[in-house]
Amino acid sequence: MSVNESELPEKSSSRSRWKQDPEGVRANILAVALEEFSSNGLSGARMDEIAAKTRTSKRMIYYYFGDKETLYLKALEAAYKKVRLGEEQLDLVHLKPRDALARLVEFTFDHHRNNPAFIRLVMIENIHHGRYLEQSEEIKSLNEAAIAQIELIYSKGVADGVFRAGLAPLRIHWLISAMSFFNVSNATTFSMLFGPEIQSASGQAALRGDVSEAVLRFVAC
């Protein structure tokens, strides 16, 4: 019996299970697509390669997503949804303003560090001048919620007398995103220029604290 023939029952069984779990199929495809698009870009990614790394078939990918551009957009949406869902799960409403903001900063720093594919995908979307992001009402809604959460924390801090008045929540979000994003997007070149210390475990722990302190000092009275 050939190797391919011996694998047929296992593949058939796997496909049968996945047909009963459409959400699982979609999630698996999107996870693989995210990695492929973030590594190779929209033009460089190949549907055959994506299909080969999923637990389903190329035909099913087209069935669920239609074409490569739609798959790219859905992968972009899934990436943004993951970070925004993580922010929602922090349950910041019960914390004091400084603690809530610090926790949000640390979460963002950790998320970006642990999800470099997200950073690369956002960089690729910037190369496309936001052409696909602009089409997504879901991403716009998710990001509006992110700003609303910061606004809630900030307003409470101003009312409590711990944050200075007159700041736009969007500026606070920008500051958090900028430092957390740069830490990943420029990790390779920064390390080549200045050495790998800042990307070590101890260096990242120190930088995480620096970013949190910088944001808190920015909003402090």
Side-chain angles (χ1 to χ4, degrees), residues 172-193:
I172 300 171
H173 175 73
W174 185 95
L175 192 63
I176 297 169
S177 297
M179 290 187 284
S180 300
F181 195 97
F182 181 91
N183 180 53
V184 182
S185 66
N186 289 51
T188 300
T189 53
F190 198 90
S191 295
M192 285 181 175
L193 290 171

Side-chain angles (χ1 to χ4, degrees), residues 8-18:
L8 280 176
E10 181 180 348
K11 287 185 176 180
S12 177
S13 175
S14 176
R15 287 175 182 172
S16 177
R17 289 196 300 270
W18 280 89

Side-chain angles (χ1 to χ4, degrees), residues 89-163:
Q89 293 174 341
L90 293 175
D91 194 25
L92 302 177
V93 68
H94 303 298
L95 298 179
K96 293 180 179 179
R98 282 182 56 85
D99 294 337
L101 187 56
R103 189 171 180 182
L104 179 61
V105 173
E106 290 162 2
F107 165 80
T108 304
F109 185 90
D110 290 342
H111 171 274
H112 289 7
R113 183 188 176 199
N114 294 326
N115 293 273
F118 169 71
I119 303 301
R120 294 194 301 269
L121 194 64
V122 172
M123 292 169 70
I124 287 167
E125 182 57 16
N126 274 278
I127 291 172
H128 289 291
H129 305 290
R131 171 184 167 190
Y132 296 91
L133 186 149
E134 187 178 30
Q135 300 173 30
S136 176
E137 292 301 323
E138 181 174 11
I139 292 177
K140 292 174 186 176
S141 177
L142 289 167
N143 287 337
E144 286 171 1
I147 301 304
Q149 179 170 238
I150 291 177
E151 183 172 15
L152 185 64
I153 295 169
Y154 172 68
S155 297
K156 187 177 178 182
V158 171
D160 289 354
V162 296
F163 293 163

